[in-house]
Amino acid sequence: MTRVPLSVLDLSPISEGSTVAQALRNTVDLARQTEEWGYERYWVAEHHFVAAASSSPAVLIGLIAAATNRIRVGSAAVQLGFTTAAAVVESFGTVDALYPGRIDLGVGRSGQRRAEVLSGAPVPERPRDARTIDGVLFPAPYSPVALLKSARLAASLGALQQPEAISPDFGDQLDDIAALLSGTYERNGVPLSARPGAGAQVQVWLFGSSAGPSAREAGARGLPFVANYHVSPGTTLDAIDEYRSAFVPSDTLSHPYVAVSADVVVGDSDSSAHELAASFPQWVYSIRSGHGAVEYPDPRSLTPLSDEQYSLVADRVDTQFTGSAATVCDKLDRLQKATCADELVVTTMTHDHADRLRSYELLGKEWGLPRLRV
């Protein structure tokens, strides 16, 4: 059986009782190991002011690229609302200059969406009932409006931008990134060449959680698209449909290319995997309640969620794939078929680093990934 490529998404989580330095060492170690186990890409997230050490993707990508040899390394995703196209291209161009042809530049508009909600701009609702396709749950969509309006996120947004700064239109920023990479960028009629940056061999990806601007822009520009099932499982199919409907062939792609992300925990048995994943509801609740991701809890010392608290995270918990390698691979196969994904990206959260390593190793072996000879 030929399966689609499998890749890694890492948040560099800081576990309860651990440190930032250890989280970063764990990330580099996991990257080395998953390269050996045959994974296609290693992507790092961008999060700020929470218990995740992946706040500076370009820096972390450079460290990972230096510690590995083959695996593609990238961002999932740079939040364009907090930066400029020039800063992004120059930083990723710097890494690409030393590790050419291995760097993925994933971008998203997360920061811009928060700013729009905080400014009072309406957020379109897409009501839909839960549905199951071949055993894969696509729950009713979760509305992020209350979370996006939280005082903590507003403070974070203010801290990440210069005073009175206004983020450019998402499409305009994408135009600027393309021009800077191709060496055709101009500002007020003056040609400007990003060095490093111009001519960099980075592969641009767009990330999206709904049938919104990210999906449409990815399709219209003929770029690969990542649908975030692990963040917003209820809107994944809409996002993919929007992308494919908008797709126009480009020099990058002749046909749509979709990667789909999933939360995964693999253990030696179904029961042991569920024990490893016991902290997940509390961790997701810390995010959705507006407090920001806490240090990943130790499953041996948990405070149970109330029914009301659990209702806020049920869609995420119900769509986390946990179990033995065979169990999880079956679920991933079903997700791939339901979405027609060309690639799957898995993210695994456990309290102990050894358990996370073991999860990826067992999954890669069962999936049939080609192990790297060392």
Side-chain angles (χ1 to χ4, degrees), residues 101-116:
R102 291 181 56 203
I103 307 304
D104 294 331
L105 170 53
V107 298
R109 62 186 301 271
S110 175
Q112 292 178 328
R113 192 177 187 206
R114 291 171 185 163
E116 290 166 2

Side-chain angles (χ1 to χ4, degrees), residues 239-259:
I240 293 172
D241 288 345
E242 185 87 359
Y243 166 67
R244 290 192 172 124
S245 296
F247 187 83
V248 176
S250 67
D251 292 339
T252 301
L253 291 176
S254 58
H255 298 88
Y257 190 95
V258 175

Side-chain angles (χ1 to χ4, degrees), residues 288-320:
R288 286 196 170 174
S289 61
H291 294 93
V294 297
E295 293 182 352
Y296 200 77
D298 187 333
R300 294 162 291 195
S301 56
L302 288 174
T303 301
L305 296 179
S306 67
D307 290 345
E308 182 180 359
Q309 290 172 328
Y310 189 84
S311 68
L312 187 63
V313 303
D315 63 318
R316 290 284 306 274
V317 178
D318 293 344
T319 54
Q320 184 189 38

Side-chain angles (χ1 to χ4, degrees), residues 66-234:
T68 54
N69 299 293
R70 173 202 60 82
I71 197 167
R72 295 191 65 92
V73 188
S75 54
V78 170
Q79 297 181 21
L80 287 185
F82 300 146
T83 187
T84 65
V88 171
V89 170
E90 288 178 341
S91 58
F92 277 75
T94 298
V95 182
D96 176 79
L98 296 176
Y99 307 100
R102 291 181 56 203
I103 307 304
D104 294 331
L105 170 53
V107 298
R109 62 186 301 271
S110 175
Q112 292 178 328
R113 192 177 187 206
R114 291 171 185 163
E116 290 166 2
V117 171
L118 292 169
S119 69
V123 176
E125 298 288 341
R126 294 180 178 270
R128 182 190 290 277
D129 293 333
R131 49 185 164 162
T132 300
I133 301 176
D134 192 24
V136 178
L137 173 64
F138 295 91
Y142 159 77
S143 174
V145 173
L147 174 60
L148 293 173
K149 288 183 177 180
S150 75
R152 192 178 190 283
L153 283 182
S156 298
L157 179 64
L160 292 168
Q161 291 184 306
Q162 296 292 338
E164 318 241 342
I166 298 175
S167 298
D169 176 78
F170 184 57
D172 291 343
Q173 282 189 298
L174 294 176
D175 287 340
D176 287 347
I177 287 174
L180 286 159
L181 288 172
S182 66
T184 60
Y185 180 75
E186 292 185 357
R187 182 78 172 184
N188 298 326
V190 179
L192 297 174
S193 180
R195 302 182 68 183
Q201 300 177 43
V202 301
Q203 186 176 59
V204 178
W205 292 71
L206 266 62
F207 286 67
S209 298
S210 64
S214 294
R216 290 193 295 273
E217 290 284 357
R221 294 168 186 272
L223 296 172
F225 178 67
V226 184
N228 296 326
Y229 181 76
H230 84 284
V231 171
S232 183

